[in-house]
Amino acid sequence: MAPSRAILATARTVLHQTKSPTLAVQRRCISAYGYEQAKCLAIDKLGEPKDVLRLHGHSISPPHGDLLTVRFLAAPINPADVNQIQGVYPTKPTFTTSLGSPDPIAVGGNEGVAEVIAKGGGVKGVEKGDWVIMKKQGFGTWRTHAQTTADNLTVIKNKDGLKPEQVGTVSVNPMTAYRMLKDFVNLQPGEWFIQNGANSGVGRAAIQLGKLWGYKSINIVRERDSGMEELKAELKALGADVVVTDKEVESRGFRDQVKEVTNGGREPIRLALNCVGGSIVNAMTKQLASGAHVVTYGAMSKQPVALPTGLLIFKDIHFDGFWVSRWSNENAEAKEACVTEVLELTRQGKFADIPMDAVKWEYSTKQDELVSAVQGTLEGYRSGKGIFVFGNT
């Protein structure tokens, strides 16, 4: 009997032999010959998520040789993932026909954690039950299951005391904050950095890592109609020294405010982190010491960074860019060391989770619910980072 027919026969047998609908659901993924029934959020063309994302089902054969099969546990919805689907990101999704579709499709998502559930006889260094994260961008993590080789994965050697949501979000935002704080300016304990987008995942990571390393921070958030004082208090509880709004930064009195907190201006600000762009960058840059660096890693406002000639010439301000995907691809060992360090801090309670808006993904979850979660990532204020948390898949 062909595998596909055997799968249907097995399902029919289960449904006829039991009166329990719950048992029937639980047996759904048990297939003849060990085939896994997987689902993924995929596209066949670029565009707005609500227009191009589709829930696609396919079968995964038992692994052999150097192949292994993983079941995803958690996968965040990052803004860059949405930009990639829209076709406005530097890298494009990887299209393939290997998932049983008549036309090439690409699975969304670039970050996540999965559990190894089966492996071929040639796989070394990875065991069934291990948690793994993806080494490089472009894997496609918005899916219930995947089959791959060990060279695409980093094994989380110690998962004790960690939740899938923590491991699944460690390789983008914390890595971005970590490398920007370390790689551009040799900040010493007691020195300052300033950042916009301080309420973002990267911003919160920078606050916490900076505090652990003894740095002081000025943190800029968007003005909002309600909850402003609560947000400021929340960020200060994470370790922020100063929290101000974008309107305050662009006001005439901000220079005096900075002078007051930096010991009359005697404590220099030598690093600025920018994920917003536009006029706020100039306002930040004016507060920097000579020779300081402005590191741009995003453009939430979709406005360009204007380079003020006087600051370039007379204060020798350096404007740099940072792209964590490129850094990760070029520094696999350093990335693994960073991941290990941040997860150990998480385990010790020294690095707090970012607020998350969990979207439960079960086998029965409908396409509309999953697509809406992706589409909403770039729209308005959110209660936390969107993240798919996989249940009975």
Side-chain angles (χ1 to χ4, degrees), residues 93-374:
T94 303
F95 288 86
T96 178
T97 56
S98 65
L99 301 179
S101 60
D103 299 311
I105 61 173
V107 180
N110 290 285
E111 186 183 21
V113 60
E115 178 186 12
V116 177
I117 59 174
K119 68 171 191 171
V123 176
K124 307 297 181 184
V126 186
E127 301 300 330
K128 185 177 178 180
D130 282 349
W131 285 6
V132 294
I133 61 175
M134 291 63 240
K135 281 187 177 179
K136 296 182 178 181
Q137 185 188 54
F139 186 90
T141 57
W142 295 347
R143 57 171 112 196
T144 60
H145 301 77
Q147 193 167 88
T148 186
T149 53
D151 59 329
N152 289 321
L153 307 171
T154 295
V155 180
I156 304 303
K157 296 180 173 61
N158 181 8
K159 61 186 181 184
D160 294 342
L162 297 172
K163 298 181 294 185
E165 296 92 327
Q166 295 168 327
V167 179
T169 55
V170 72
S171 62
V172 174
N173 291 338
M175 291 303 97
T176 300
Y178 190 115
R179 298 324 315 178
M180 291 193 302
L181 289 175
K182 287 292 188 181
D183 292 351
F184 294 91
V185 175
N186 184 24
L187 288 179
Q188 300 298 310
E191 292 193 318
W192 290 85
F193 70 93
I194 186 172
Q195 66 169 341
N196 56 39
N199 189 37
S200 67
V202 174
R204 285 169 174 262
I207 289 171
Q208 295 182 77
L209 292 174
K211 196 65 168 182
L212 287 169
W213 297 333
Y215 308 156
K216 299 177 183 178
S217 61
I218 298 174
N219 301 275
I220 305 167
V221 296
R222 284 185 294 172
E223 182 74 48
R224 58 196 65 193
D225 295 332
S226 62
M228 195 71 251
E229 292 307 313
E230 291 81 359
L231 176 59
K232 288 184 176 183
E234 184 180 350
L235 296 183
K236 286 184 177 180
L238 290 177
D241 293 278
V242 178
V243 182
V244 292
T245 68
D246 48 4
K247 289 185 178 180
E248 290 178 271
V249 173
E250 297 193 79
S251 69
R252 292 184 176 181
F254 185 61
R255 180 180 293 276
D256 293 334
Q257 188 176 351
V258 171
K259 187 175 181 180
E260 181 179 349
V261 299
T262 57
N263 192 20
R266 289 184 287 273
E267 297 174 1
I269 305 173
R270 300 199 294 124
L271 177 65
L273 309 180
N274 165 48
C275 69
V276 176
S279 61
I280 193 70
V281 181
N282 283 348
M284 293 168 59
T285 305
K286 291 176 182 178
Q287 314 306 322
L288 299 179
S290 295
H293 286 251
V294 178
V295 184
T296 293
Y297 65 97
M300 291 172 58
S301 71
K302 299 182 180 180
Q303 298 297 315
V305 174
L307 307 182
T309 305
L311 294 176
L312 287 170
I313 297 173
F314 304 117
K315 294 189 70 175
D316 191 28
I317 301 297
H318 301 265
F319 285 80
D320 308 280
F322 181 75
W323 185 20
V324 71
S325 298
R326 178 169 53 204
W327 181 88
S328 297
N329 291 346
E330 295 173 353
N331 300 275
E333 291 184 5
K335 176 185 176 180
E336 185 171 351
C338 285
V339 166
T340 299
E341 182 177 346
V342 174
L343 290 180
E344 181 58 30
L345 292 172
T346 302
R347 189 181 289 109
Q348 295 173 7
K350 296 179 180 179
F351 188 85
D353 302 349
I354 61 172
M356 296 187 191
D357 185 5
V359 179
K360 197 73 171 178
W361 187 332
E362 305 279 356
Y363 184 77
S364 60
T365 303
K366 302 300 183 184
Q367 173 180 295
D368 289 350
E369 183 178 347
L370 302 176
V371 173
S372 293
V374 177

